[in-house]
Structure formats: structure tokens, C-alpha cells
Amino acid sequence: MTKAAKGTPMTEERTSNAASGLAVPPTGNKRWYVVHAYSGMEKAVERNLRERIDRAGMQEKFGRILVPMEEVVELKNGKKAVTERRFFPGYVLVEMEMGDDTWHLVKHTSKVTGFVGGAKNRPSPISESEVMKIVNQMQEGIEKPRPKVEWVVGELVRVKEGPFTDFNGAIEEVNYDKSKVRVSVTIFGRATPVELDFSQVEKI
């Protein structure tokens, strides 16, 4: 897989291919294991693991490496921007044959703190169904990115931009496609519905 430039979100096609490729069950004696990494260093752990596997010539004992990510939509300067968010911060999934050599390779990779579950030097694999849940969640995030901030009808918000700045009101309707909310604002004692961009309101 071609690496994305630093700070550049993966394209939908590449992310989609990565997620759909994981829908294949592990082969041979390989199982999925959860590796704990320093939070924010998950992608670095993925890179470090791949480099160490290549240097050690252990490609046959390792399969796929997955950093669980989802895409989220946020407004930046009035424009929609799609970014990636880790939904299991600090965790990386590794498909591998468990043995002393592979355990040592992963355990002594930079930014890795250890395996999750099982005995200290004999971690327990997670089930294929657990991996599929994560893959499905990633796929859903690709097909329909979630908003970074979620709004709820009835929620009280404060207007922070525009002619109604500092007015409070309740959300009557949310339109994620247009990134707008309709807020009932009380003006001169009368409730008035006002359509606002997500960027113009904040949660109270």
C-alpha cells in the first residue's frame, strides 16, 4: 500500500481497499492479536512493525496490521473537511503466528508497550467476529463519514456567529448533508426558527 503523505488523509479508495481486504479470515496458524501502543503513535507502530518484519525476514509469519480508524467530517473555514480519527486510541491489531520469535519482535518494537489479554508471554488472540465488527465499523465510516460533532434535536446551543450571536436556543432539526441546524431562538419574546451552519453554534 502506498503511504499517504504526512498529515494527508488516506483517500476513500485506499482506505476502502484496506478495510475490504481485511474481510478475509486469517490463513494458516495466523490469528489476530491486540497490541498496545503509545496513544497517538499507532501509525508509527504499524510502520515500525513492517520494517522490523522485513528486516527479520518473517513476512510469512505475519499477515495484516490494522490501525482501527474512521473518517469524520468537520467544518474548517466554512468548508467540509474529511479527517481520520482512531476509534481505539492506543491499540493496533496484528495478524501473526504466535511464537517466541514473533512475540519478541512485536514486544520490542519501538512505541509498543505489550500485548493485550492472556499470559504475559502468551497473549490470547481475539476472535474473527471481533475483528469483523471493527472492519465493518471502518467500512461504515468510509461510506458515510460521521460528523466530528454530533447534534441532537432538543439540545440547547449558543449562537457564536452572525446576527444572533450570544442567543441561546434549542435544536429543532439537523441536516448533516448541508452541515446546518435549525435552532429555535427567542427574539422579543417570540420563538423564531433560525437556520445556522454547524460552525455558527456551540454546545452549552
Side-chain angles (χ1 to χ4, degrees):
M1 186 187 296
T2 306
K3 289 182 181 177
K6 189 175 181 182
T8 304
M10 291 171 67
T11 63
E12 180 174 319
E13 181 184 355
R14 281 159 59 202
T15 312
S16 180
N17 288 343
S20 59
L22 287 159
V24 183
T27 54
N29 295 321
K30 296 187 185 77
R31 294 292 180 267
W32 286 100
Y33 294 87
V34 181
V35 173
H36 194 259
Y38 291 125
S39 187
M41 295 291 172
E42 300 88 353
K43 282 290 187 182
V45 165
E46 180 185 2
R47 284 194 304 273
N48 293 342
L49 274 173
R50 292 191 190 284
E51 289 170 5
R52 282 173 60 80
I53 291 165
D54 288 344
R55 281 203 305 269
M58 290 191 190
Q59 292 91 337
E60 290 185 2
K61 294 187 177 183
F62 285 87
R64 294 152 291 184
I65 300 171
L66 171 62
V67 177
M69 310 278 284
E70 63 182 347
E71 292 186 352
V72 294
V73 178
E74 59 182 322
L75 277 176
K76 288 184 177 178
N77 301 321
K79 294 181 180 179
K80 280 186 181 180
V82 178
T83 56
E84 289 182 327
R85 176 168 64 187
R86 296 162 182 79
F87 55 82
F88 288 137
Y91 295 99
V92 178
L93 302 185
V94 181
E95 183 190 22
M96 58 186 281
E97 291 181 17
M98 183 55 68
D100 289 342
D101 53 351
T102 54
W103 180 87
H104 276 287
L105 185 145
V106 175
K107 183 74 172 63
H108 296 105
T109 295
S110 177
K111 313 299 183 189
V112 168
T113 62
F115 285 89
V116 177
K120 188 176 180 181
N121 61 347
R122 270 292 174 270
S124 300
I126 60 173
S127 69
E128 184 64 21
S129 63
E130 288 177 285
V131 176
M132 286 311 302
K133 281 180 189 174
I134 295 169
V135 172
N136 289 338
Q137 192 172 341
M138 289 176 69
Q139 193 66 41
E140 286 170 12
I142 295 160
E143 292 165 359
K144 191 173 183 181
R146 295 196 310 144
K148 192 162 188 178
V149 178
E150 294 191 2
W151 306 99
V152 180
V153 172
E155 184 176 27
L156 288 176
V157 294
R158 185 180 75 84
V159 182
K160 61 179 183 176
E161 286 180 17
F164 302 104
T165 299
D166 291 331
F167 277 79
N168 293 342
I171 294 176
E172 291 186 337
E173 186 180 319
V174 182
N175 187 328
Y176 284 115
D177 292 331
K178 295 182 178 178
S179 295
K180 290 183 179 291
V181 287
R182 192 172 71 215
V183 180
S184 177
V185 178
T186 302
I187 305 170
F188 303 122
R190 178 181 295 178
T192 304
V194 180
E195 190 175 69
L196 300 161
D197 290 334
F198 286 173
S199 60
Q200 291 180 283
V201 295
E202 63 184 4
K203 293 175 182 282
I204 296 177

